[in-house]
Amino acid sequence: MQLSVIGSGYVGTTVASCFADLGHEVVNVDIDQEIVDSINSGTPPVHEEGLPELVAEHAGADGTGRLRATTDYDAVLDTDVTFLCLPTPQNDDGSIDLSIMEAGATRLGATLAAKPDWHTVIVKSTVVPGSTEDVITPVLAAESEKTAGEGFGVGMNPEFLREGSAVDDFLNPDKVVLGADDDRARRDMRAVFEPLVARADAPVVETDTRTAEMIKYANNAFLAAKISLINDLGNICKELGIDSYEVADAIGLDDRIGEQFLRSGVGWGGSCFPKDVAAIVAAAKREGYDPAVLEAAVEINEGQPERLLSLLADHVDLDGARIAVLGLAFKPGTDDVRNSRAIPVIRGLQERGATVTAYDPVATDNAREYVADVEYADAAATALADADGAVVVTDWDEFAALDEEFDAMAAPVVVDGRRVVERRDGITYEGLTW
Ligand code: UDX
C-alpha cells in the first residue's frame, strides 16, 4: 500500500522504515529539512539499533526506493493511509499537551480537502482516551470539509516500542492493537498490518479508538507500577537485611507475576513512563477519580534517589565530598537522559554540599542540558580516582567489570542503585534494595 507517516522522531522513523521493509511504499513527512535530507541520504535522524540498515536499504541511493522523506504535506495525496507520529509532551500539571498533534491534524486535514477519494488517518502517538474521537477527528473533518466515516476514516494504533530496541519491538510485537471508529478504516488497518501479522504471527486486538488509547496507557502504567511495587518490596527487604533479587527471582517463577520488570533499584525514567503515568492520572482526576495505586507508584519512584543518597550519607560526610556518579542515561543502550534517575541523584548530592564527577559511556552530551556544575569524566576510572564515594545509577555492562578502579578512590564507598557492581572485600558496598 501507499503509506504516509507524519513525524520522523524515533517512532515515526522506525514506523516508516519498518513498513517499507514489510513491502509498503512509504513517504515520511517532517517539517525539518535536515531530517528529511538525512533520511533521503539513507541515514536515520535518530539512533536506534537496526534503523541504519533499514533506512539505507529503503531510502539509500541504490536502495529499494520504498522509503522517501519530504517536507511537503501534499505527498499525502498520493497515499492511502497516513500515520500521525507526532510528540505529545506533558503540561506542567502532568496533563497531555495535544497542541502538536492538533497542528499536524490541521495541516493533514487541509491537505485531504484536495483529495477526492477515501483516506484513512491512523493516530500512532500516545494520546489520552478520547483524544482521537473528540479532538483529532473533529479537526480533520473541519479542515478537510469531509465527514468522518464517509469521506475519510480514523483509527488508533498504539506503539509499544522501547528505546534501544524500537525496530525489534516493531517487527516482533507481542500484539497489534487496531482501534477504529468506522468499518472502512478497520479494513484499511488490517491491510496495512497484514504483512507484519503474517510475518510475526502476532495476535491482533481489534477495538474502538478510545479502548486502543487506554490499552497503551494501561500497558505503560502497569509496567511502571510493577517496577514501583518491586521497589517497595525491595525497600522492605533492605530494612530487613534480605536480598530482594533472590525474592524477585523466586516470585518471578509464578507465571501470574512473570520474571520481567522485577529489577528493583533507583527507579524508572525515560520519555514515556513518567509522561504517560502523569497523563492518565491527570485524565482520571479530570473525571473525578483518584488513581491511588498509580499515584503511589510515582511517589515511590520519586523517593528512590533519596534512599540512595541517605545510604551514601550513612558512610560519607557529603558536605565538601567529591562523589563519582556512574551512569547518566535513563537506562543502558541509549544516550537519552530524559527523566533519568541520575538527575535527582546529582541535584541531591549538590544540595548536600558535594561536588560531582559523572561518567556515562554515551549520554554525557545530553546530560549537560539537564544538570549544571558537574565535572564530566571520559572514563569510570577517572571519575572514581580520589573520589570520597560512588553511586551507580545506570546498569551499563561496563560497570560490572570495574574492580581495581575502586581501590583508587580516596574512600572506597560504593552505593549501587542498579545491582551491577559485585560486592567484595576492600570496598564498603551498599545495594539499594539488597
Ligand atoms: C517503555 C515501555 O517498555 C515501552 O513498551 C513503551 O512503548 C515506551 O516506554 P522505555 O521507556 O524505552 O519503554 O524503557 P523500558 O525499557 O521500559 O525501561 C523504562 C525504565 O524502567 C528505565 O528507566 C529502566 O531502567 C527501568 N526499569 C526497567 C527498572 O527500573 N526495572 C526493571 O526491571 C525494568
Side-chain angles (χ1 to χ4, degrees), residues 51 59 62 75 100-101 118 137-138 158 198 242 290 296 327 339 363 384 415 428 431:
L51 207 49
D62 46 7
I100 299 171
M101 279 295 280
W118 174 269
T137 299
I242 294 166
D290 206 0
N339 299 298
L384 291 168
V415 178
T428 302

Side-chain angles (χ1 to χ4, degrees), residues 81-155:
V81 175
T82 299
F83 283 85
L84 279 170
C85 300
L86 295 169
T88 53
Q90 69 185 108
N91 293 314
D92 291 344
D93 66 357
S95 63
I96 193 168
D97 172 1
L98 286 175
S99 61
I100 299 171
M101 279 295 280
E102 288 177 88
T106 299
R107 286 197 65 180
L108 178 58
T111 304
L112 292 178
K115 189 175 186 218
D117 52 353
W118 174 269
H119 197 88
T120 289
V121 177
I122 300 174
V123 173
K124 189 80 180 168
S125 304
T126 301
V127 292
V128 292
S131 302
T132 299
E133 191 175 10
D134 304 338
V135 178
I136 306 297
T137 299
V139 167
L140 291 168
E143 294 298 326
S144 64
E145 296 175 351
K146 297 180 179 190
T147 304
E150 292 171 21
F152 69 97
V154 182

Side-chain angles (χ1 to χ4, degrees), residues 36 60 68 88 330 364 369:
V36 166
R68 69 180 183 87
T88 53
F330 84 92
T364 298
E369 67 178 278

